[in-house]
Amino acid sequence: MKRHVVTGGAGFIGSALVRRLAADGGAPVVVIDNLLTGKERNLAGLEDRIEFHRIDIRDYDAIAPVIAGADTLYHLAAIPSVPRSIEQPVPSHEVNVDGTFQVYRAAVEGKVRRVVYAASSSAYGDTETLPKVESMAPRPLSPYAAQKLMGEYYASVFHTCYGLDAVSLRFFNVYGPRQDPSSPYSGVISIFLKCLIERRSPTIFGDGEQSRDFTYVEDVVGLMLKAARAEGVGGKVYNAGNGNRYTLNQVWETLQRLEGVEIPALYGPPRPGDVRHSQADTTAARRDLGHKPRFSLEEGLRRTLAWQRQELGAV
Ligand code: UD1
């Protein structure tokens, strides 16, 4: 019987994908996660509908039988964060590069029909023009960016050399429910929301005029499902972004307005490895994959704020 396998399925984005796959019914959903950054409670309520394997993607012998025969393998397992990869490059290299290699190897051996890989917009680095188009030369500025780019290169090489049908989606600053705000390496929107709810000032690194294409998690999940079905995309790379761009100052202003409060931000030194501006050109993803982002930043922030308030209230 057809199965879908999600590596990193207990993580923030992975669990949103698993929830959607499980809700759609159809093929069984199998999760691979070592729970390093993922959490079992992200999958709460799905216990009867998914098969969970607490294993590490670096362990080929453990993952190979789980991956074998899958219809679609969504590869999201990674150690994220630009600053974490600068401070601790070894674990992120081992998981993001070596682990990814083992996942693709298992997919070839196990004759998986399609692989959808979670690549990163960080691969672009600082480009001279915006928005960022897939044809631009990558210029990674951090170990994380280089590692995620290597995953794309391996996807393409495994396609050419071994016939693996793997497509890479460059995620652009994904945010939404279940993004964990508790670590200094957490995504900025989750940190801002926690500050807002607790009526504290966030610290903005630099002048706050750096900008990001913040993409709501459900739009990325929708695109992954489309990428799983699209024809002729093996070995290719697509931007998975919203197509807009907001500065951190604008995001913090919007959040204060939504909440009806005034809490000035604090400003600290710029963060090493930071990209200045990021915005996706979504033309290719719309054309080839049927990408159609639905959530404006304000709508996504409202939804995420509602979830985070409930979550913090419950703790
Ligand atoms: C990068 C990638 C993104 C990837 C993510 C994985 C780019 C453009 N984006 O996100 O695709 O998914 O890594 O981790 O490279 N900031 C503050 N205060 C805070 C926290 C962050 O000002 O408390 C700032 C950062 O300095 C940065 C921005 O917010 O300028 C976004 O940071 P973050 O959410 O960590 O994501 P990126 O590093 O942009």
Side-chain angles (χ1 to χ4, degrees):
M1 185 173 184
K2 285 209 295 191
R3 292 149 60 246
H4 299 309
V5 178
V6 182
T7 73
F12 151 52
I13 306 173
S15 63
L17 173 65
V18 170
R19 282 178 186 280
R20 179 81 76 89
L21 289 169
D24 288 350
V29 186
V30 180
V31 172
I32 291 176
D33 204 300
N34 66 356
L35 300 181
L36 182 72
T37 57
K39 295 189 193 67
E40 262 176 310
R41 76 192 186 100
N42 283 342
L43 299 171
L46 297 177
E47 292 80 1
D48 298 342
R49 282 182 282 164
I50 63 169
E51 188 184 305
F52 180 76
H53 295 265
R54 186 174 181 173
I55 50 179
D56 193 300
I57 57 166
R58 289 166 291 185
D59 184 351
Y60 178 80
D61 292 338
I63 62 171
V66 180
I67 287 174
D71 175 77
T72 306
L73 168 68
Y74 298 92
H75 175 39
L76 284 84
I79 296 187
S81 169
V82 166
R84 188 201 300 240
S85 78
I86 294 175
E87 284 155 31
Q88 302 161 24
V90 175
S92 63
H93 175 89
E94 287 177 357
V95 171
N96 300 347
V97 178
D98 299 339
T100 293
F101 175 85
Q102 301 299 358
V103 168
Y104 292 163
R105 202 181 136 211
V108 171
E109 288 297 317
K111 300 191 169 32
V112 169
R113 181 192 63 85
R114 165 72 48 88
V115 175
V116 178
Y117 167 60
S120 171
S121 64
S122 57
Y124 287 109
D126 285 324
T127 57
E128 273 164 29
T129 52
L130 293 170
K132 303 188 182 198
V133 189
E134 291 87 343
S135 54
M136 288 174 170
R139 289 183 188 170
L141 297 176
S142 62
Y144 177 77
Q147 293 155 10
K148 280 282 159 178
L149 183 60
M150 184 61 98
E152 290 180 15
Y153 287 151
Y154 263 134
S156 161
V157 164
F158 270 62
H159 176 251
T160 324
C161 298
Y162 310 114
L164 183 68
D165 194 345
V167 58
S168 298
L169 302 179
R170 286 184 177 166
F171 292 2
F172 279 70
N173 289 72
V174 185
Y175 72 100
R178 296 191 181 78
Q179 190 168 29
D180 178 8
S182 66
S183 139
Y185 302 126
S186 300
V188 69
I189 286 188
S190 70
I191 294 175
F192 276 12
L193 288 171
K194 189 165 191 281
C195 290
L196 185 72
I197 293 167
E198 295 172 352
R199 302 290 190 258
R200 286 188 291 112
S201 296
T203 300
I204 292 180
F205 304 133
D207 62 6
E209 288 303 301
Q210 66 267 49
S211 61
R212 294 290 183 270
D213 186 346
F214 292 106
T215 308
Y216 191 61
V217 65
E218 288 303 326
D219 281 333
V220 170
V221 166
L223 184 59
M224 282 191 276
L225 299 180
K226 288 172 177 169
R229 303 252 62 93
E231 298 285 333
V233 295
K236 296 196 178 157
V237 177
Y238 293 96
N239 287 340
N242 180 287
N244 285 310
R245 170 168 88 85
Y246 293 91
T247 66
L248 295 188
N249 288 328
Q250 287 172 327
V251 173
W252 183 242
E253 272 161 29
T254 306
L255 288 175
Q256 290 175 88
R257 181 168 50 76
L258 289 179
E259 191 76 346
V261 294
E262 260 187 57
I263 310 171
L266 303 172
Y267 289 83
R271 202 172 71 177
D274 237 18
V275 167
R276 184 69 180 160
H277 299 297
S278 182
Q279 182 180 18
D281 183 315
T282 57
T283 310
R286 286 175 189 269
R287 184 192 61 220
D288 295 357
L289 308 176
H291 183 37
K292 211 174 172 186
R294 293 191 300 130
F295 293 91
S296 66
L297 179 68
E298 188 160 326
E299 178 60 19
L301 288 178
R302 277 183 206 282
R303 288 173 181 239
T304 314
L305 177 59
W307 176 84
Q308 201 151 307
R309 171 165 285 120
Q310 193 187 17
E311 188 70 7
L312 288 174
V315 174

